[in-house]
Amino acid sequence: MRKVSMATRRELIEAVGERYRSADRASKGKVLDEFVAITGFHRKHAMRLLRAEPLIRETTRPERRIYNEAVRGALLVLWEASDRLCGKRLRPLIPILIEAMEGHGHLDLDPAIKGSLLQMSPATIDRVLQTAKGNSHKVRRRGVAGSELRRSVPIRTFSDWGDPAPGHMEADLVSHSGPVAKGSWTWTLTLTDIATGWTECAPLLVREQTLLVEVLKELRKLMPFPLLGFDSDNDSVFINETVRDYCAATEIAFTRCRPYRKNDQAWVEQKNGSVVRRLVGYRRFEGLEAAGLLAELYAAARLFVNFFQPSFKLAEKRRDGAKVHKRYHAPATPFQRLMDDPRTSEQTRERLRDLAARLDPVRLLRDIRTAQQKLVVLADAVVLADPTETSPPPLGAFLSSLKVLWQNGESRPTAVDKTPRKRERRRPDPLLQVTDQLKAWFEDEPWRTGRELLEKLQAEQPDIYPDGLLRTIQRRLKGWRTEHARALVFSHSSGLASDAPVDTEGSVRNNYVRQRSRCSGTFLREATRILILFVALQAACARVAALVCPPSLR
């Protein structure tokens, strides 16, 4: 026999108990036998349960909130300062952010609030930020050389990396062509370190191998470690004599992935979405000005991403049949991974510590937002009435806005799509010559349908207006009826308001008119529906009168 759940047993006790207590001795025995057979209780235990009066249970659970609004407000500021990371990545960043922001005078947290923030779990962080995340915009993703030259560049797959020292990097290009890949546009060169996740980005004015080598030289000056390996895809801008000879001359191991296997470059492909597309979006950028603004954006973003953006790193992958089990290291920033790597020199550690102590995450985030706003203005060709709209706001005002920024939805200007243009008429108006005539017929007989007006028009001008214009006429009628209803409603409301009677009934009527005017959108829809019903009823009555009454009695 299947076991009965405890919830079902409680329901049986409530249902059978009253009947058991009010029954006679013989009936009690029958009820008890049936109850014991169903629940499996001992007979004496069942008797005690059925004799007892039902307990009144509290339906509301006591309040168990641990984190109050002050903790939630502080968490919102930290979440915005981290550029809206998820709970698992934000949890290890909270102590770093608090220390950095307090060091620069942006935060002065109460010890109790700071303790609550430090003990908050990733799941609780996501739950507290659930309302704020609801307005966020989900970012969508977009999407050769000769055979002899390609054979000279060895292939390296995803599983061939092992545990390389910091300095072995994957490279890729991100296109900023927008919706149309026509003409010349700006590109982004992305480099990602395999060991630490350190990411460097730089704009390319055009997609050309000599320019790529020059940009690579500049990026090597910014890296905290020497460039030991350069792994690219099979694009001709990478697989060519210029890049190959440069890597050979500077003793950089030059490798490539397999064709049409993007997972071989999973490290940099991930950063294309989580860093480049997240910062820049999908607009089209071209020209020197756009390249300069991208360079300004990446100058602030490289420090923010590498020092204040924790990321996951795969530690182990195991296949069990068709299922793949993955285990990840704890989230950490590229700066933390570089400091923890035993192969990092002490000189590099000291230089990075000094740089991290001087960085202000709020200032970096403000500079990122300012550069993003300039890019949007440039890409969308927006003419600003006030040029100071794209200038960086004061740091105090920017910090105070982080607490309520989630209420406006997406905070990154580049993530908000350009407002589409309103679709206009694409062919000449087929009813242009008779629009005034149709409107006059409607005003004389507003109960007429679109079919009746079209038939009347076809009778007067045959072989000119086909039946396919029915839907066009119906749309015109809908607009005219809305205008008629609006005029009908507001003419009466204005008359009532202008009379301004002093009696109590008139005052109440005027107040009612004012309240209804405040919600004019809903009121107009209801008035239009009533008007259409009235016109249809009037037309039906006219037809009935024509059928019932003979012409002589009219």
Side-chain angles (χ1 to χ4, degrees):
M1 176 180 174
R2 181 184 176 187
K3 287 189 65 176
V4 181
S5 65
M6 294 302 298
T8 305
R9 292 176 184 178
R10 285 194 294 267
E11 293 175 356
L12 283 173
I13 292 172
E14 295 177 0
V16 179
E18 184 177 356
R19 184 159 59 94
Y20 177 82
R21 290 188 294 270
S22 61
D24 54 13
R25 186 179 182 83
S27 300
K28 283 183 177 180
K30 296 179 181 179
V31 173
L32 187 61
D33 292 339
E34 182 181 357
F35 182 73
V36 170
I38 293 175
T39 60
F41 287 155
H42 189 275
R43 194 173 183 85
K44 280 294 184 181
H45 180 59
M47 292 170 62
R48 295 189 189 99
L49 291 176
L50 295 178
R51 287 173 186 166
E53 294 291 334
L55 297 176
I56 301 176
R57 299 180 178 271
E58 295 183 0
T59 58
T60 59
R61 296 175 61 182
E63 181 66 31
R64 298 190 300 174
R65 290 187 61 184
I66 301 177
Y67 306 107
N68 54 22
E69 288 300 322
V71 178
R72 182 177 180 273
L75 180 63
L76 280 171
V77 174
L78 295 176
W79 178 61
E80 291 288 357
S82 69
D83 200 13
R84 301 188 174 186
L85 294 179
C86 67
K88 291 184 178 180
R89 298 174 64 195
L90 181 60
R91 173 64 186 85
L93 183 65
I94 286 179
I96 301 175
L97 271 180
I98 291 178
E99 181 180 358
M101 295 176 71
E102 286 183 342
H104 290 82
H106 300 317
L107 279 183
D108 186 14
L109 295 177
D110 185 83
I113 296 177
K114 185 187 298 186
S116 299
L117 290 172
L118 294 177
Q119 73 177 8
M120 194 177 294
S121 67
T124 304
I125 292 174
D126 288 330
R127 186 166 56 251
V128 173
L129 296 174
Q130 185 176 6
T131 303
K133 289 182 178 180
N135 296 332
S136 297
H137 177 70
K138 304 296 182 183
V139 181
R140 60 188 180 94
R141 294 177 179 262
R142 297 279 180 177
V144 201
S147 57
E148 182 179 355
L149 179 61
R150 288 201 297 181
R151 282 195 299 268
S152 66
V153 182
I155 289 179
R156 190 194 296 268
T157 65
F158 177 81
S159 59
D160 293 338
W161 281 110
D163 186 20
H168 290 82
M169 309 190 80
E170 289 182 345
D172 197 12
L173 286 179
V174 181
S175 171
H176 300 300
S177 63
V180 180
K182 183 180 180 181
S184 178
W185 59 86
T186 310
W187 298 73
T188 292
L189 173 63
T190 309
L191 299 179
T192 301
D193 182 53
I194 304 300
T196 62
W198 190 280
T199 302
E200 297 283 355
C201 299
L204 290 178
L205 186 60
V206 290
R207 183 175 163 275
E208 199 270 329
Q209 57 198 37
T210 306
L211 180 59
L212 184 140
V213 170
E214 295 299 324
V215 171
L216 185 59
K217 292 178 182 178
E218 296 299 322
L219 288 180
R220 290 182 62 190
K221 300 176 184 178
L222 300 175
M223 296 178 189
F225 42 74
L227 182 60
L228 304 178
F230 186 79
D231 184 78
S232 68
D233 56 18
N234 291 267
D235 195 337
S236 60
V237 74
F238 293 116
I239 310 301
N240 52 70
E241 291 86 351
T242 304
V243 178
R244 184 194 61 179
D245 295 345
Y246 172 76
C247 292
T250 53
E251 298 181 354
I252 299 174
F254 184 29
T255 56
R256 63 185 176 92
C257 69
R258 294 171 293 178
Y260 309 109
R261 300 292 184 90
K262 298 185 70 173
N263 193 53
D264 286 353
Q265 285 201 305
W267 306 96
V268 71
E269 292 288 349
Q270 180 192 26
K271 300 303 180 183
N272 286 343
S274 62
V275 176
V276 179
R277 290 302 185 191
R278 183 179 172 87
L279 288 171
V280 181
Y282 293 88
R283 286 173 169 82
R284 181 183 179 91
F285 301 107
E286 55 184 358
L288 285 172
E289 187 177 359
L293 291 177
L294 284 174
E296 179 184 342
L297 172 63
Y298 291 143
R302 65 177 296 269
L303 299 175
F304 189 82
V305 168
N306 293 320
F307 285 86
F308 299 104
Q309 293 283 281
S311 60
F312 287 96
K313 184 179 180 182
L314 184 65
E316 179 188 5
K317 183 168 68 173
R318 176 172 53 85
R319 183 178 294 278
D320 184 9
K323 189 173 183 180
V324 177
H325 300 272
K326 296 181 180 181
R327 185 176 64 84
Y328 294 88
H329 293 291
T333 63
F335 163 71
Q336 291 173 326
R337 289 199 177 99
L338 190 58
M339 297 294 290
D340 295 339
D341 197 302
R343 294 163 293 192
T344 304
S345 64
E346 190 59 34
Q347 182 181 2
T348 302
R349 297 174 193 269
E350 191 65 28
R351 188 170 66 253
L352 289 176
R353 288 195 196 100
D354 294 340
L355 178 59
R358 297 193 306 268
L359 292 180
D360 182 358
V362 177
R363 184 182 297 275
L364 292 175
L365 184 62
R366 184 199 63 175
D367 295 342
I368 290 173
R369 293 288 182 263
T370 303
Q372 288 175 332
Q373 183 62 39
K374 292 179 181 177
L375 282 170
V376 170
V377 171
L378 177 64
D380 296 347
V382 179
V383 179
L384 296 177
D386 184 6
T388 60
E389 292 182 12
T390 57
S391 59
L395 201 58
F398 181 77
L399 178 63
S400 62
S401 67
L402 295 181
K403 189 173 182 179
V404 296
L405 194 60
W406 64 273
Q407 299 176 357
N408 299 328
E410 185 55 58
S411 61
R412 295 186 299 274
T414 53
V416 181
D417 294 334
K418 183 179 179 180
T419 305
R421 294 180 58 185
K422 185 178 180 181
R423 180 176 175 179
E424 300 176 353
R425 177 176 290 278
R426 300 185 180 183
R427 63 187 183 91
D429 186 1
L431 299 175
L432 182 61
Q433 304 297 330
V434 294
T435 299
D436 296 337
Q437 186 178 4
L438 289 174
K439 191 170 184 179
W441 290 346
F442 164 75
E443 292 175 352
D444 294 339
E445 299 175 330
W447 58 86
R448 296 291 185 186
T449 63
R451 170 68 67 180
E452 292 175 341
L453 291 180
L454 179 59
E455 292 176 351
K456 187 175 182 180
L457 185 62
Q458 290 173 339
E460 288 192 0
Q461 304 181 32
D463 302 331
I464 297 179
Y465 300 99
D467 294 339
L469 295 175
L470 175 61
R471 185 71 187 109
T472 304
I473 294 178
Q474 289 174 343
R475 285 195 294 266
R476 300 285 171 87
L477 279 179
K478 183 178 179 180
W480 294 338
R481 284 171 180 157
T482 302
E483 294 176 1
H484 194 182
R486 184 182 292 108
L488 182 64
V489 170
F490 284 108
S491 63
H492 288 288
S493 63
S494 60
L496 288 173
S498 61
D499 293 342
V502 295
D503 61 303
T504 305
E505 182 180 358
S507 300
V508 172
R509 185 168 61 251
N510 284 339
N511 291 333
Y512 174 75
V513 170
R514 294 191 194 99
Q515 293 174 2
R516 296 294 286 181
S517 299
R518 293 190 188 103
C519 52
S520 59
T522 305
F523 190 42
L524 278 177
R525 287 194 293 271
E526 297 296 332
T528 304
R529 189 178 296 110
I530 294 173
L531 178 62
I532 293 174
L533 293 176
F534 174 74
V535 171
L537 180 62
Q538 187 177 4
C541 292
R543 293 191 183 94
V544 171
L547 294 175
V548 174
C549 300
S552 59
L553 297 179
R554 295 181 188 174

